Amino acid sequence: MSTERDIRFTAADFRRLRQMLYQRVGISLNDSKSHMAYSRLAKRVRQLGMRQFADYLDLLEKADDEAEWQHFVNALTTNLTAFFREPHHFDLLRLHAMERVTQERHYRVWSAAVSTGEEAYSIAMTLLSLPQLNRQRLELVASDIDTRVLSQAADGVYDAERAKMLDSSLLKRFFLRGVGHNAGKVRIRREVRDQLSFYQFNLVAAEWPDMGRFDVIFCRNVLIYFDKPTQAAILQRLAASLQPDGLLFLGHSENIQHLSDAFQSCGRTAYRLVNHNVRR
Ligand SMILES: C[S@@+](CC[C@H](N)C(=O)[O-])C[C@H]1O[C@@H](n2cnc3c(N)ncnc32)[C@H](O)[C@@H]1O
């Protein structure tokens, strides 16, 4: 498939690009994503003064330039997200935290594919609204492979339009409204942003750093980009990263049936860890 585009991009280039992306971050692009790959990367190829994708892929492979690889990955991830997406998960989170915080210990939650941050801030708003949970007892970790979205998440600045469906009490308590040249924007208040620790984290990395065990893990709308063996391996590691009876939330189209026996369903794409002896 040679295209009429100004940068040469053949079917073989797409297959090669797809393989490189899969090896790096586990994402499996299907054939229908060829156009997307072109449109997201052609500008970069042009910027580098190249006329064909093959040269760009050679550069990635031969120069082993970490920054360029990151550019490549950032361009090809899909980062769609929203505040309180799949709101039933936040109801379960609230109930789970209310049961747990009577114990004298921290409550720890990990958003493992946080994208631009809306998911992690929805978790923070839910938990900080509970009278039982104060800031000192709450630990929130947020990670993603994509450094561009992670930096947006840490900034916590959004178009006001994205937050307009939120309850006015949440808006008042957790957001600042932009004025002057920031009109039309909202920003998560500093004390809430400071509550979160952001890390770049590749779910398909050969080794996972030991982050301790979490009470809850949100790993939503990312497994869909991986093939079944990769999903099963990640589920195994997620199970090993949860406290006994910890909760795992997946995305609306993700299903762990036949992939893991460590969990029991406890709601719509919500799972409770039942096998506590899982090892990474
Ligand atoms: C569609 S977003 C999901 C955002 C949020 N969890 C939600 O459900 O609204 C998928 C995210 O997964 C991230 N991602 C893709 N591959 C990844 C990997 N190997 N490790 C960690 N994050 C990855 C992408 O960068 C993207 O931000």
Side-chain angles (χ1 to χ4, degrees):
M1 173 202 67
S2 233
T3 68
E4 291 167 21
R5 301 147 171 166
D6 66 318
I7 306 290
R8 184 175 157 81
F9 184 48
T10 64
D13 294 333
F14 177 63
R15 283 196 298 275
R16 186 174 162 205
L17 173 155
R18 182 159 73 175
Q19 186 57 21
M20 288 164 68
L21 184 69
Y22 177 74
Q23 273 170 359
R24 197 86 180 179
V25 293
I27 297 176
S28 305
L29 295 181
N30 64 34
D31 289 341
S32 69
K33 296 288 194 264
S34 162
H35 179 72
M36 179 206 85
Y38 179 89
S39 64
R40 294 206 189 161
L41 276 169
K43 186 168 161 219
R44 181 68 186 152
V45 181
R46 231 175 268 125
Q47 262 173 1
L48 292 169
M50 295 170 177
R51 306 294 302 157
Q52 47 183 18
F53 264 70
D55 293 342
Y56 181 63
L57 301 178
D58 285 349
L59 171 86
L60 281 174
E61 279 184 342
K62 290 188 188 130
D64 198 22
D65 174 344
E66 200 44 54
E68 196 54 53
W69 269 106
Q70 191 61 56
H71 192 106
F72 173 77
V73 169
N74 289 357
L76 294 172
T77 54
T78 295
N79 309 111
L80 183 77
T81 187
F83 286 110
F84 291 99
R85 186 177 192 187
E86 299 171 61
H88 49 278
H89 288 162
F90 297 90
D91 296 335
L92 280 173
L93 172 68
R94 193 177 298 112
L95 288 175
H96 187 259
M98 279 161 57
E99 276 169 19
R100 292 295 190 101
V101 286
T102 50
Q103 297 167 24
E104 282 304 313
R105 59 174 189 77
H106 283 190
Y107 190 72
R108 305 184 72 229
V109 184
W110 176 25
S111 167
V114 70
S115 186
T116 41
E118 288 88 332
E119 178 176 277
Y121 292 124
S122 304
I123 297 168
M125 287 188 264
T126 303
L127 295 176
L128 292 172
S129 298
L130 292 176
Q132 300 93 321
L133 242 177
N134 60 31
R135 281 183 207 296
Q136 289 70 35
R137 303 266 295 283
L138 179 60
E139 200 181 323
L140 299 178
V141 174
S143 62
D144 201 284
I145 187 71
D146 181 336
T147 50
R148 189 179 35 101
V149 290
L150 271 178
S151 126
Q152 286 174 36
D155 275 354
V157 176
Y158 301 96
D159 286 339
E161 196 58 22
R162 292 185 68 76
K164 75 168 193 224
M165 86 303 279
L166 295 181
D167 210 74
S168 60
S169 63
L170 290 183
L171 280 172
K172 216 166 168 177
R173 178 158 172 208
F174 294 110
F175 289 83
L176 296 168
R177 197 165 278 285
V179 291
H181 70 275
N182 287 320
K185 305 260 187 216
V186 289
R187 186 168 203 193
I188 305 283
R189 287 182 188 270
R190 172 175 284 281
E191 57 272 28
V192 184
R193 282 185 275 130
D194 287 350
Q195 190 80 47
L196 276 106
S197 309
F198 292 98
Y199 300 100
Q200 188 190 21
F201 189 99
N202 183 358
L203 287 163
V204 306
E207 295 288 328
W208 280 19
D210 186 3
M211 297 197 289
R213 289 188 180 247
F214 293 91
D215 293 281
V216 179
I217 301 176
F218 283 68
C219 188
R220 307 191 307 168
N221 303 298
V222 61
L223 294 184
I224 33 166
Y225 299 106
F226 305 143
D227 60 19
K228 295 283 175 206
T230 309
Q231 291 181 7
I234 292 175
L235 285 165
Q236 166 99 354
R237 287 168 146 191
L238 291 173
S241 308
L242 273 172
Q243 292 280 358
D245 293 325
L247 292 185
L248 171 67
F249 295 118
L250 300 180
H252 55 93
S253 60
E254 292 162 334
N255 191 334
I256 67 169
Q257 237 188 349
H258 311 305
L259 290 178
S260 170
D261 56 8
F263 300 98
Q264 200 169 62
S265 170
C266 64
R268 235 182 316 154
T269 50
Y271 301 89
R272 193 177 284 272
L273 183 72
V274 287
N275 176 357
H276 305 156
N277 300 316
V278 192
R279 297 171 72 85
R280 280 188 196 157

